[in-house]
Amino acid sequence: MASEKELFDITIIGGGPIGMFAAFYAGMRNVKTKLIETLPVLGGQVALLYPDKTIYDIGGYAAVTGKELIKQLQAQMSLFDQEICLEEQVQDVIKNEEGIFELTTAKGKHYSRTVIITTGQGAFKPRKLSLEHAEDFEDQSLHYIVSNIEQYRDKTVAICGGGDSAVDWALTLEPVAKKVYLVHRRNKFRAHEASVEQVKTSSIELLTPYIPHELHGYDGQLTAVTFKQAKGEETKTIDLDFFVVNYGFSSSIGPLKNWNIELEKNDIIVSPKMETSIEGIYAAGDISTYDGKIKLIATGFGEAPTAVNHAVHYLRPEEHAQPYQSTKLSFDD
């Protein structure tokens, strides 16, 4: 049996924004908490894929960049002394005869009375451009992830894609770059309507319906991209310094699919308590699903306290699942 020193009340798998907020909230409920994250840093996709991107749908913020959001979440977490394990991927989770969960990673075992899974959409990688010689320009002038806004300052940038990421990056780079083009294979975008309207009234030049056809450049530096009509033969060539492709990401839930938790495609089915098909295991954020689910960070921020509170009730059945409001708490008491 695990000793009391190594046995935790709640272990959170996944250190993105939802996992970080769940860890903070578990501290509010005064339970011994551990967070395990595969990546070498906290923050998940927000930290790695769009740290400089402006996010508009977080309650309490008119606008906030990804890195500022993660910074604030880290500040919240720092109020409590939780154990953080980075660069560990949970390979297996089993419930032993004593009702304790054993979480196995390449570095060893972790023991917990309850588990909250907040792994988002799992491991991810960008969907790449399928053009000849595209790999020759990757990481230099052909980008799938925007990690440093300053490299685009006073440059000409073409962004390809029709979703929120492409539209948001175009708007973010407009005041930085010399010129921004937004290229999409359809006339209609899949992004939020307000963002699309903002693009239309900006200096961003739209090119629709067009698709990338040919790359021009040398020594890893693009000089131009030729675009072709999606359903036609007309072409247009744009001289540029950087080409950003936002075709989305493919993801994999990895070992999770073997944990005997009920899934719907790659999502974990949860109850209104955010409990999975295994008693004592909960899920929140994009990895979880239920009827009417909307996948937003804002949604996950509501699901995390729900999961934590019901996990605490599971640990302490004599206590109500409904907590006190945080305005009634004092860290000095």
Side-chain angles (χ1 to χ4, degrees), residues 221-240:
Q221 178 58 53
L222 282 168
T223 56
V225 175
T226 297
F227 298 92
K228 180 177 175 291
Q229 279 186 323
K231 294 182 179 180
E233 297 301 321
E234 182 180 330
T235 63
K236 292 185 179 182
T237 299
I238 296 176
D239 295 328
L240 49 71

Side-chain angles (χ1 to χ4, degrees), residues 238-259:
I238 296 176
D239 295 328
L240 49 71
D241 300 295
F242 291 101
F243 186 29
V244 179
V245 176
N246 287 135
Y247 285 165
F249 294 83
S250 59
S251 61
S252 169
I253 61 173
L256 191 155
K257 61 180 178 291
N258 300 317
W259 297 353

Side-chain angles (χ1 to χ4, degrees), residues 245-273:
V245 176
N246 287 135
Y247 285 165
F249 294 83
S250 59
S251 61
S252 169
I253 61 173
L256 191 155
K257 61 180 178 291
N258 300 317
W259 297 353
N260 296 317
I261 297 174
E262 188 177 0
L263 302 174
E264 182 179 288
K265 297 182 179 179
N266 283 333
D267 296 334
I268 298 174
I269 298 172
V270 295
S271 72
K273 298 179 180 181

Side-chain angles (χ1 to χ4, degrees), residues 170-242:
L171 291 169
T172 300
L173 293 179
E174 183 204 13
V176 176
K178 179 172 65 175
K179 177 68 178 180
V180 175
Y181 295 88
L182 181 56
V183 186
H184 183 37
R185 61 193 178 97
R186 295 191 179 98
N187 288 317
K188 187 175 182 180
F189 289 83
R190 304 185 311 278
H192 285 94
E193 294 86 347
S195 298
V196 175
E197 284 303 310
Q198 191 177 348
V199 167
K200 291 178 178 178
T201 59
S202 72
S203 65
I204 297 166
E205 187 168 333
L206 292 174
L207 184 60
T208 63
Y210 279 82
I211 58 175
H213 180 65
E214 186 178 1
L215 305 176
H216 310 277
Y218 55 91
D219 295 335
Q221 178 58 53
L222 282 168
T223 56
V225 175
T226 297
F227 298 92
K228 180 177 175 291
Q229 279 186 323
K231 294 182 179 180
E233 297 301 321
E234 182 180 330
T235 63
K236 292 185 179 182
T237 299
I238 296 176
D239 295 328
L240 49 71
D241 300 295
F242 291 101

Side-chain angles (χ1 to χ4, degrees), residues 103-119:
L103 294 77
T104 303
T105 75
K107 296 184 179 180
K109 287 187 180 291
H110 303 265
Y111 300 92
S112 190
R113 292 187 170 92
T114 64
V115 174
I116 300 177
I117 303 172
T118 59
T119 52

Side-chain angles (χ1 to χ4, degrees), residues 121 151 279 327:
Q121 296 177 353
Q151 67 185 318
E279 188 178 22
T327 52

